[in-house]
Amino acid sequence: MILIFLGPPGAGKGTQAKILEEQFGYRQISTGDLLRKHRAEKTALGAEAQSYMDSGKLVPDDLIIRMMDAELENVSDAILDGFPRTIAQAAALDDLVKRKGRPLPGAVLFEVPREVLEDRLIGRWTHPASGRVYHERFNPPKKAGVDDVSGEPLVQRPDDKAETIRTRLNVYEKETAPLVGYYQRGRLTAVDGLAAIPEVTDRIKGAIAVRTGTA
Ligand code: AMP
């Protein structure tokens, strides 16, 4: 089963994907994490993506679709976190799963009002090696500045600064929000992203049970 996490930056997609990965074995595939890895490894794709990411814009569809084609080649169960982000990417993903003769992916929409998102992004800290996400007020690590599991230092993403955050939220509204219409007919479950973290996890588990016919 492929499940798409859809929602603006800061809505909790990465936090929930990590929980479902750690507790239930779903593989999280985050295009943002993959791109950051390409940049750290100084690949050609990383170099091409850099200026778009730093300014909060979307990396061009053809680069992302090529990267995800390769990534999804041998994957059967996964949560896609941050992909698709445009209608062209959503159509490419549907083509890919159809070619493999698999059911079309369902989507979970994280609903969070825009005014809350800026606060959530500004206080966000991540553990780059695992992708674990914390927030200094809403989801703090056990020890400030340190990852709970590995004890390694946390970092703030360079694109989590006020000006870039605004661009990213505008880009979401213009380019990604139309995907709600794309998935609406029978493929979308909305969850209240303002609810407590364990409550959101429960609702997503409910959505998974419906999609896999185990409800
Ligand atoms: P994220 O970690 O999901 O917030 O992504 C960080 C940045 O990576 C975004 O602001 C984009 O520049 C780029 N990015 C991640 N996923 C995609 C995607 N599916 N399409 C285009 N750009 C993406």
Side-chain angles (χ1 to χ4, degrees), residues 119-138:
D119 272 356
R120 282 192 176 189
L121 290 164
I122 281 172
R124 185 159 84 163
W125 291 81
T126 55
H127 176 240
S130 69
R132 276 185 286 277
V133 193
Y134 301 89
H135 189 280
E136 51 199 34
R137 279 194 288 145
F138 309 129

Side-chain angles (χ1 to χ4, degrees), residues 68-144:
M68 288 305 277
D69 247 345
E71 196 62 34
L72 290 171
E73 187 53 42
N74 298 308
V75 169
S76 51
D77 292 321
I79 289 173
L80 305 185
D81 164 13
F83 174 87
R85 260 172 153 106
T86 62
I87 298 278
Q89 292 179 18
L93 175 63
D94 280 353
D95 284 348
L96 181 93
V97 297
K98 275 189 209 149
R99 277 203 309 276
K100 289 173 178 275
R102 297 178 35 195
L104 290 177
V108 174
L109 172 66
F110 289 64
E111 291 181 309
V112 178
R114 178 163 175 151
E115 50 284 10
V116 178
L117 296 167
E118 296 195 20
D119 272 356
R120 282 192 176 189
L121 290 164
I122 281 172
R124 185 159 84 163
W125 291 81
T126 55
H127 176 240
S130 69
R132 276 185 286 277
V133 193
Y134 301 89
H135 189 280
E136 51 199 34
R137 279 194 288 145
F138 309 129
N139 178 30
K142 293 190 183 108
K143 187 169 165 223

Side-chain angles (χ1 to χ4, degrees), residues 202-214:
D202 279 349
R203 291 184 196 169
I204 297 169
K205 279 172 14 196
I208 292 174
V210 168
R211 281 217 73 78
T212 55
T214 54

Side-chain angles (χ1 to χ4, degrees), residues 31-32 35-36 53 57-59 64 82 85 89 157 168:
T31 37
L35 291 166
R36 281 184 285 277
M53 295 174 77
K57 306 222 170 87
L58 292 186
V59 174
I64 297 287
R85 260 172 153 106
Q89 292 179 18
R157 279 174 42 176
R168 288 161 63 206

Side-chain angles (χ1 to χ4, degrees), residues 164-184:
T164 320
I165 286 171
R166 273 192 290 278
T167 307
R168 288 161 63 206
L169 293 173
N170 290 339
V171 165
Y172 175 80
E173 275 161 24
K174 186 158 169 271
E175 312 222 27
T176 309
L179 290 182
V180 174
Y182 185 92
Y183 291 115
Q184 210 141 39

